[in-house]
Amino acid sequence: MVDRLANSEANARRINVVESCFGTAGQPLAIEGRVLIGEGVLTKLCRKKPKARQFFLFNDILVYGNIVIQKKKYNKQHIIPLENVTIDSIPDDGDLRNGWLIKTPTKSFAVYAATATEKSEWMNHINKCVYDLISKSGKTPNSEHAAVWIPDSEAPTCMRCKKVKFTPVNRRHHCRKCGFVVCGPCSEKKFLLPNQSSKAVRVCDFCYDCLSSGDLPACQPGRSDSLSSSPKMANHMSDDDDEDSSD
């Protein structure tokens, strides 16, 4: 079906509409062989709070952006290559239901659909697209992914030293390797994580020691892999907020 749609006029028109909705704020999306599989609004758990985002699933990329005017205008476009994506289901908990994790080497976050059926359709389509890409390229599926940031509200004190209480003076910071919320003294060092940045980024002392010694398994993201067994954390998982570039 995807091959039949690749060069169809209907597919070209649909992609053109998506491009026009992002306007000059977005990158061109029309390339040979690209097909728009589906689209919809999902709730993305950002650092501060859940926010509605418009998502577009293509056969090779996942695109999302902020909703300015529904079905007419979006901004802050993000493009995720699907060959780097893995997804994991998240158990329902309270008001947040029908969710799953989207994990990539550069960024990982949770999204929630309106219904269980919608969740199933999104996950099935994403998995199918990833499978097809990996099969065609012959590449090994990606096993490394960025940590999901623990939200500020989950950490009244530093998650490493367990002593420093956060205040307007004692600010929260996030370790880019494990995603923990840590204090300044526990995260004074930086380390180069090529998948996330071309510059050295803030990491906690624990992860810095592990990375420096080459003991990578010890500092693997601790929250994003344990979501299925931790409903409370699934209720609050967050990456860095799209509008917030703070530590």
Side-chain angles (χ1 to χ4, degrees):
M1 178 179 177
V2 170
D3 292 337
R4 293 201 306 271
L5 291 174
N7 298 312
S8 70
E9 291 185 9
N11 179 62
R13 286 196 299 270
R14 293 179 68 200
I15 294 179
N16 183 63
V17 169
V18 177
E19 286 185 336
S20 64
C21 285
F22 279 104
T24 56
Q27 298 181 33
L29 298 173
I31 65 171
E32 185 177 354
R34 177 169 290 165
V35 175
L36 178 57
I37 305 297
E39 62 183 272
V41 177
L42 299 173
T43 297
K44 177 177 177 289
L45 295 195
C46 300
R47 177 179 177 182
K48 300 296 182 182
K49 62 181 180 180
K51 297 181 180 180
R53 295 287 184 260
Q54 183 73 27
F55 281 77
F56 301 91
L57 177 63
F58 295 83
N59 60 328
D60 62 334
I61 58 174
L62 182 65
V63 178
Y64 70 92
N66 295 8
I67 301 171
V68 180
I69 303 175
Q70 182 62 45
K71 296 186 180 298
K72 291 185 178 180
K73 185 176 181 181
Y74 311 111
N75 64 13
K76 298 191 176 179
Q77 184 189 75
H78 297 259
I79 299 177
I80 302 173
L82 283 179
E83 65 180 8
N84 295 328
V85 168
T86 57
I87 58 176
D88 290 326
S89 182
I90 301 172
D92 292 343
D93 185 42
D95 293 333
L96 289 175
R97 306 175 65 82
N98 311 313
W100 68 97
L101 262 186
I102 296 174
K103 303 188 294 185
T104 80
T106 58
K107 189 174 188 176
S108 301
F109 55 91
V111 293
Y112 286 82
T115 67
T117 299
E118 187 178 343
K119 169 187 174 177
S120 178
E121 290 177 348
W122 271 101
M123 292 190 70
N124 288 338
H125 284 306
I126 292 173
N127 278 328
K128 178 65 164 59
C129 289
V130 173
Y131 176 81
D132 289 345
L133 283 171
I134 296 298
S135 298
K136 289 180 180 179
S137 68
K139 294 182 180 179
T140 302
N142 181 68
S143 60
E144 182 180 351
H145 55 81
V148 177
W149 283 19
I150 304 301
D152 293 353
S153 59
E154 281 294 324
T157 60
C158 176
M159 297 178 70
R160 285 303 183 193
C161 69
K162 314 290 186 182
K163 297 177 181 179
V164 175
K165 293 185 178 181
F166 295 121
T167 68
V169 176
N170 292 325
R171 294 179 55 227
R172 292 173 171 84
H173 303 278
H174 279 84
C175 172
R176 268 52 172 188
K177 183 58 181 176
C178 67
F180 278 20
V181 184
V182 291
C183 63
C186 285
S187 59
E188 292 179 338
K189 299 182 177 68
K190 293 186 177 183
F191 200 92
L192 181 63
L193 301 177
N195 284 331
Q196 296 190 36
S197 175
S198 60
K199 299 180 180 180
V201 293
R202 181 187 293 269
V203 294
C204 67
D205 291 347
F206 176 80
C207 286
Y208 181 85
D209 291 341
C210 292
L211 290 164
S212 299
S213 66
D215 187 12
L216 301 182
C219 60
Q220 287 301 305
R223 287 295 184 265
S224 58
D225 283 329
S226 61
L227 295 174
S228 59
S229 60
S230 179
K232 185 175 185 293
M233 270 303 175
N235 200 23
H236 298 287
M237 289 174 306
S238 163
D239 71 332
D240 49 323
D241 192 297
D242 296 336
E243 298 82 15
D244 188 349
S245 59
S246 60
D247 290 350

